[in-house]
Amino acid sequence: MDRILFTTYSPEDIGRYRSQAEGLGAGLECHVFADPVLLSSNGSVEHTVQLLAGQLTGFAGTLGFHGAFYDMISASVDPEVVALTLRRYRQGLHITSQLGGEYIVFHANYMGGWKLANYREGWQQRQVDFWRSFAAEAASRGVYVLIENMWAPEPAILLDLLKAVDNPFMRACFDVSHAALYSPFAIGDWIETLAPYLHVCHLNNTDGVTDSHLPLGTGLIDFAEVLAQLRALPSPPLLTLEMPGWDIVSASLPFLDLAPSS
C-alpha cells in the first residue's frame, strides 16, 4: 500500500484536505512556510503557526514541511547570502519541530547552468560545510532534513553530498518532474542512485516545457512505470502529491494503491 501525502499551500488547504487525508490514511506536506514574505514578518509567522497548530490538533497522519527555497543558496560564495539562507532554514526547522513535523524539505539549488570546471567541486565543499552543522541541529530536534533536486543535471550530485554529510537525519526528496525537466538522466537512474537515501518523492507530471504540476496521467512521464520502480525498493518512500488543487489530486488517485476510505 502506498504511503501518500497531500500538499497544502495555505492554511485553508489544511482545513480542506485534512478530512480527505484521514479518510485515505494519508499525510500532509505543508508548503505554507516556504513563502518568503511570510517568513520576513515575525508577527505573521507566529500567527500562522498558531493557526496551523489548531487545525492540526489530533492529526495522526505523517506531517512534513517545505522550507524556503526562493533565492536560497546554501553554497553561495557570499557569506551574507549564506547567513540569510541559514536564518530562513532555521526558521523552517523551528516551525517543523514546533508543529510536530517529521521532516522538512530544502532545495539543493545546484546551478546547472554554470559551465565552469571547478564549480561542482567548490559547490560540494561549501554544501558539506553548511549541511553538516545544520543536519546535526535537525537531528537534535528529531527532524529529518530532505534535500530536493531542482536544476541538478545528474543524481550523483545529491548522492555525493549525502554521503559526505553522513548523517542519518539528512536524506533525499526526489522530485520526478524536476528530473524530467532539467536532467538528461532517466528517471529510473535517479531512483536507483538515490534509493539508499530516499525518504520522499514529489509526484506530478509535466509537458516537458514547464514545471506545470499536472495530474499523474497527463504529461510525458509514465507514472505506472515510475511507481512500480518506487514500490519495488527495499524501503519505498513517502509519495507527496505536489499539486495545486484537489481536482488535480483526485485525478491522480487512481494511480495509487490506497487504504479504503472510511
Side-chain angles (χ1 to χ4, degrees), residues 69 71-86 89 106-111 114 118-131 147 151 157 161:
F69 61 94
D71 305 318
M72 297 288 99
I73 310 175
S74 50
S76 175
V77 296
D78 186 330
E80 293 189 29
V81 173
V82 175
L84 172 61
T85 301
L86 180 59
Y89 286 8
F106 297 109
H107 287 191
N109 281 349
Y110 183 89
M111 304 300 183
W114 286 102
N118 62 346
Y119 174 70
R120 180 167 172 177
E121 181 180 355
W123 182 91
Q124 164 90 1
Q125 187 54 59
R126 290 188 297 274
Q127 286 283 45
V128 171
D129 292 342
F130 182 95
W131 289 111
I147 304 302
W151 304 295
I157 292 170
L161 172 60

Side-chain angles (χ1 to χ4, degrees), residues 41-144:
S41 172
N42 290 333
S44 295
V45 169
E46 284 306 313
H47 171 76
T48 305
V49 168
Q50 294 308 314
L51 177 62
L52 265 61
Q55 291 177 317
L56 291 167
T57 298
F59 182 68
T62 300
L63 181 63
F65 288 82
H66 199 304
F69 61 94
Y70 291 105
D71 305 318
M72 297 288 99
I73 310 175
S74 50
S76 175
V77 296
D78 186 330
E80 293 189 29
V81 173
V82 175
L84 172 61
T85 301
L86 180 59
R87 185 162 78 250
R88 291 285 183 250
Y89 286 8
R90 279 181 167 157
Q91 279 182 285
L93 177 60
H94 175 71
I95 292 166
T96 301
S97 177
Q98 192 175 354
L99 291 174
E102 173 185 299
Y103 67 82
I104 182 166
V105 177
F106 297 109
H107 287 191
N109 281 349
Y110 183 89
M111 304 300 183
W114 286 102
K115 303 299 183 183
L116 300 171
N118 62 346
Y119 174 70
R120 180 167 172 177
E121 181 180 355
W123 182 91
Q124 164 90 1
Q125 187 54 59
R126 290 188 297 274
Q127 286 283 45
V128 171
D129 292 342
F130 182 95
W131 289 111
R132 271 187 178 152
S133 58
F134 191 89
E137 185 176 345
S140 72
R141 294 173 178 260
V143 174
Y144 288 94

